[in-house]
Amino acid sequence: MGYSAFKVFWQGLTGNKGWQPAWREPDPRPQYDIIIIGGGGHGLATAYYLAKEFGVRNVAVVEKGWLGSGNIGRNTTIIRANYLLPGNQPFYELSLKLWENLEQDFNYNAMVSQRSILNLIHSDPQRDAFARRANAMRLSGADSELLGPDEIRALCPFLDFDNARFPIQGALRQKRGGTVRHDAVAWGYARGADMHGVDIIQNCEVTGIDITDGVCTGVQTTRGPIRAKKVAMCAAGSSGRVAALADMRLPIESHVLQAFVTEGLKPTLPGVITFGAGHFYVSQSDKGGLVFGGDIDGYNTYAQRGNLPVVEDVCEGGMAIMPMIGRARLLRGWGGVMDMSMDGSPFIDKTGTQGLYVNAGWCYGGFKATPASGYCYAHLLAKDQPHEVATQFRLDRFRRGAPIDEKGVGAQPNLH
Amino acid sequence: MIINHPLLGPRDAAEFVYLGDASLMDRPDGMTASDEEMHDYMYLRDNPAGEHRELWYHEQGDRSWLVVTRNTLTHEITMVELARDVARSRGRSK
């Protein structure tokens, strides 16, 4: 069933009685071509692109909880392609291009809003670094521009420009960046995949990965064994736990990232704003709440909640650039579990086991990557060759001395 | 979180810096270890859900290294030892 403005109008006139469930709830079949472990944004996007772009429709997505119960519903909904390194930036630019056409592609209103992202500059060396980054972004085909303080004053008069410690001297802006309604991304991909024949099996935890003579043959689940030619791990946050089922150790630690939202306010922020001297980023949701976050808590955890020192640190970051945020009341805060990798960059790769694939290590950049992650993972699963923008997301890159370390801090996951 | 320091008593975790899995204490000898051993030591982690032994550094305090046993599902801390004592108990000289 396609959605359209006419349909919304017609349903409104007829008591909204004609809407159907957006996807089926099938029982698992005994065998599939591909099983995707994890029904979050990336897993559902992978299934969608496998079926739609690569013609592989005998696919199941198995999800331990309910669909989209993980990080796809726990992020700060920001999309952007403002990376520096050649291993990363073309990938995120592909993602941004896919975001731009996503709603037409899967016929679902994901509220993609390209309201721009401003990365504030507070010192001369930072301006140099951001100028370099802006050039790297342009080389990949993305848009970027450097703004001076006067232009930012016109856009965001509420910022603390003349702060004694961190005066605002400019910003790197990407106009095509913005926000997306995160839950709708999961629902849209799920509906799209389902319409192309993918089975989405919820409340079905994978309890074992069957490997015989170095070949992956299927999975054990709480709803019985399912055989498959290929098994695709896609459970960022819990990648370590899933990989342990296949006796694998990953270059990943699980950490918690907290996010917060204030009470609803009238429209006040023109887009996404990030603090350049601390770690703080903020945008305004369509309901009016200021959605913001900062650093990870910094210790291994699988608990979807953090501790108070980081709450204080994030709020201090907010007060440092926009003191007016102190007048808003904090409504909610929550935590999501991140795969923090050893260089801050993700993995989309085969494993040492034939027929077993891994998609993991998204750190706190997984949401913006959802479409490209799904597309490139589907490409790898369907053709056994990496997509051209994801060739460096290899598991063996540390062995080869080829990490993709945007911050250059080395193998210390809580610093990325 | 409160870390019950063996020498100083209960201290706020915010005084500490987190390094990672306590297995980082057992660094292979760089002159004799194979590339594979060094790679696994540097980059691979067990990353368990549940009990986890990990290294914390009391940077805002007495600058001692601690081995903290903490549950990664509940944040409950069940044991705190001086890393020095743990290393000595394994036969290391310091």
Side-chain angles (χ1 to χ4, degrees):
Chain A
M1 182 182 71
Y3 293 138
S4 64
F6 173 75
K7 212 148 210 173
V8 172
F9 182 69
W10 180 250
Q11 288 291 340
L13 288 180
T14 54
N16 283 308
K17 286 175 184 157
W19 298 114
Q20 303 288 320
W23 53 83
R24 300 166 292 129
E25 296 217 6
D27 288 320
R29 281 181 290 177
Q31 183 160 6
Y32 291 92
D33 287 343
I34 297 177
I35 291 175
I36 298 167
I37 303 174
H42 290 217
L44 294 166
T46 304
Y48 174 73
Y49 290 117
L50 266 174
K52 180 166 177 292
E53 301 291 335
F54 299 97
V56 185
R57 289 164 187 238
N58 187 17
V59 175
V61 178
V62 291
E63 163 59 41
K64 176 185 172 185
W66 68 92
L67 190 153
S69 55
N71 291 335
I72 189 71
R74 306 181 81 87
N75 54 74
T76 45
T77 78
I78 296 166
I79 61 169
R80 59 186 171 89
N82 56 358
Y83 284 69
L84 173 70
L85 299 178
N88 271 333
Q89 174 60 14
F91 172 85
Y92 289 102
E93 172 56 16
L94 170 69
S95 207
L96 200 47
K97 284 201 176 78
L98 291 168
W99 281 119
E100 285 173 327
N101 197 36
L102 185 66
E103 293 159 307
Q104 292 75 12
D105 193 63
F106 66 20
N107 179 233
Y108 201 90
N109 181 11
M111 297 165 68
V112 177
S113 167
Q114 294 184 287
R115 52 184 73 177
S116 87
I117 176 165
L118 279 180
N119 302 118
L120 298 177
I121 296 169
H122 305 275
S123 67
D124 287 341
Q126 192 167 34
R127 187 186 293 108
D128 293 347
F130 277 18
R132 180 181 174 216
R133 179 182 295 257
N135 287 334
M137 290 159 66
R138 289 194 171 204
L139 284 173
S140 75
D143 66 308
S144 67
E145 54 192 321
L146 286 174
L147 304 186
D150 293 342
E151 289 159 291
I152 306 169
R153 257 178 220 275
L155 283 170
C156 312
F158 49 82
L159 294 177
D160 189 5
F161 288 88
D162 303 316
N163 184 299
R165 182 69 182 86
F166 303 119
I168 295 168
Q169 300 186 355
L172 168 64
R173 176 165 70 173
Q174 182 169 50
K175 272 192 165 173
R176 289 161 64 236
T179 59
V180 182
R181 168 89 172 94
H182 53 351
D183 292 321
V185 176
W187 300 332
Y189 274 126
R191 174 172 166 274
D194 182 84
M195 282 166 68
H196 284 96
V198 172
D199 281 358
I200 298 168
I201 304 157
Q202 303 178 64
N203 299 310
C204 178
E205 181 179 357
V206 170
T207 53
I209 296 176
D210 299 332
I211 298 170
T212 317
D213 299 331
V215 178
C216 186
T217 56
V219 295
Q220 300 291 326
T221 76
T222 49
R223 295 176 67 177
I226 313 176
R227 291 176 62 77
K229 293 175 189 157
K230 294 178 180 175
V231 173
M233 298 187 281
C234 195
S238 292
S239 295
R241 296 161 93 173
V242 176
L245 299 175
D247 287 330
M248 283 174 67
R249 294 170 81 216
L250 296 175
I252 285 173
E253 287 177 1
S254 294
H255 287 255
V256 64
L257 175 65
Q258 301 190 62
F260 309 91
V261 63
T262 70
E263 60 195 322
L265 307 170
K266 288 188 176 181
T268 174
L269 299 191
V272 183
I273 301 170
T274 74
F275 184 26
H279 200 168
F280 176 81
Y281 46 89
V282 61
S283 63
Q284 190 167 20
S285 79
D286 290 316
K287 283 194 288 187
L290 303 182
V291 184
F292 60 94
D295 271 325
I296 54 175
D297 271 42
Y299 44 81
N300 283 46
T301 175
Y302 284 93
Q304 286 179 317
R305 58 182 171 78
N307 275 304
L308 289 170
V310 168
V311 179
E312 188 177 15
D313 182 67
V314 171
C315 292
E316 281 171 358
M319 291 300 289
I321 56 164
M322 43 185 290
M324 74 171 182
I325 204 171
R327 306 290 294 182
R329 275 169 294 195
L330 198 64
L331 205 62
R332 288 181 287 128
W334 63 94
V337 181
M338 313 283 127
D339 275 6
M340 294 305 296
S341 68
M342 290 290 157
D343 58 357
S345 294
F347 308 98
I348 302 177
D349 201 0
K350 303 173 190 176
T351 67
T353 305
Q354 193 188 328
L356 183 64
Y357 298 75
V358 62
N359 176 319
W362 290 96
C363 299
Y364 36 76
F367 179 70
K368 75 177 91 68
T370 305
S373 168
Y375 197 94
C376 293
Y377 202 24
H379 187 284
L380 177 71
L381 287 163
K383 303 188 174 187
D384 269 321
Q385 290 291 326
H387 188 275
E388 61 177 359
V389 299
T391 53
Q392 297 193 36
F393 296 156
R394 302 286 307 277
L395 266 181
D396 69 351
R397 62 178 182 253
F398 304 108
R399 230 176 230 111
R400 292 181 287 112
I404 314 170
D405 193 340
E406 289 274 339
K407 278 172 100 177
V409 294
Q412 187 58 41
N414 61 358
L415 296 183
H416 287 291
Chain B
M1 288 189 297
I2 303 289
I3 294 176
N4 194 8
H5 193 298
L7 304 177
L8 304 176
R11 309 298 305 179
D12 192 324
E15 295 176 4
F16 294 78
V17 175
Y18 179 81
L19 183 71
D21 195 304
S23 66
L24 290 170
M25 289 168 71
D26 304 320
R27 185 176 60 207
D29 182 344
M31 301 307 285
T32 57
S34 66
D35 288 354
E36 203 63 15
E37 281 176 272
M38 280 315 279
H39 167 269
D40 291 358
Y41 167 80
M42 279 287 286
Y43 296 109
L44 300 187
R45 300 286 186 271
D46 286 339
N47 198 20
E51 190 173 278
H52 188 228
R53 279 163 65 78
E54 54 202 21
L55 287 165
W56 292 74
Y57 176 58
H58 199 190
E59 189 179 44
Q60 307 294 323
D62 71 345
R63 301 194 176 183
S64 57
W65 282 95
L66 304 182
V67 175
V68 176
T69 306
R70 190 178 56 95
N71 189 316
T72 57
L73 291 166
T74 62
H75 297 167
E76 186 194 5
I77 293 172
T78 48
M79 188 160 59
V80 184
E81 304 151 275
L82 288 173
R84 185 181 56 196
D85 293 346
V86 175
R88 280 185 177 147
S89 73
R90 292 186 202 170
R92 293 252 296 269
S93 60
K94 56 185 177 182

